Amino acid sequence: MSTLPPTPPPRAITARAAENGLIISGCICLLLFLCGLTSVFSPASLLLWAGSLAMPVVIYRILARSYCRAHCSLGFAELWAEGIASFFLGSLVPAMVTYLLLRFAFPDFVPDQIDRTIEAFKALGTPEGDQWAQTLIDIRTKAPMPTAADIAANLISFNIVVGTALSLLVTPLVKLRNRCDKCANENKNN
């Protein structure tokens, strides 16, 4: 007869993903802020790169925590699905914030960025730069500018694709690096 207490079943994937989504949402909001800041303060691009490169570490820690809390009983597919769902849920708030900012606070952000890019290409003074500038001018005159809703929807889609790829790459590492004995020690400390 075993003297160990029974291990509780792992929490539902939706509950774990919602909790993880809050963390990912904060990270994505920070990256969006830095992205907007780069248009007026170019050194912010270094912070944007650092934050982007930190996302695999964030998703690794999130999935490793879930794996350990479940006493290493989660399979590959469940961990991967948790990562995807976490990115989906984590992209909803940033998409809403982006929509509200582009719709009401900075409605000219996209056209201004296109104008700045055209000016930058023209300033190069090369035939290639002039060709790129003319291409952007043609696009601007022939096609409508993306709306705030378009950008918010694309942000959600982008984050789901990135989340799927990152989770696919990180999940095997979580399973390899987090053994049950290591997880048991961490669960005792928590």
Side-chain angles (χ1 to χ4, degrees), residues 12 18 33 78-79 99 102 116 121 124 155 159 179 183 185:
F33 171 74
E78 191 170 6
L79 273 176
Y99 172 79
L102 291 177
R116 286 182 183 183
F121 279 134
L124 292 175
L155 180 65
N159 285 324
R179 299 176 319 274
C183 291
N185 290 336

Side-chain angles (χ1 to χ4, degrees), residues 28 36 48 69-70 160 173 175:
I28 294 171
L48 178 62
R69 284 184 180 169
I160 291 172
L173 291 173
K175 291 189 71 67

Side-chain angles (χ1 to χ4, degrees), residues 119-149:
E119 290 172 15
F121 279 134
K122 285 182 179 179
L124 292 175
T126 63
E128 293 84 8
D130 293 340
Q131 185 177 6
W132 278 106
Q134 188 58 45
T135 301
L136 285 175
I137 291 169
D138 292 344
I139 290 172
R140 184 178 59 189
T141 57
K142 294 178 184 174
M145 287 289 118
T147 65

Side-chain angles (χ1 to χ4, degrees), residues 129-182:
D130 293 340
Q131 185 177 6
W132 278 106
Q134 188 58 45
T135 301
L136 285 175
I137 291 169
D138 292 344
I139 290 172
R140 184 178 59 189
T141 57
K142 294 178 184 174
M145 287 289 118
T147 65
D150 293 336
I151 293 172
N154 283 324
L155 180 65
I156 293 172
S157 300
F158 174 77
N159 285 324
I160 291 172
V161 170
V162 167
T164 300
L166 278 179
S167 298
L168 179 64
L169 295 173
V170 166
T171 298
L173 291 173
V174 169
K175 291 189 71 67
L176 287 172
R177 296 203 60 212
N178 294 283
R179 299 176 319 274
C180 289
D181 55 340
K182 178 183 172 189

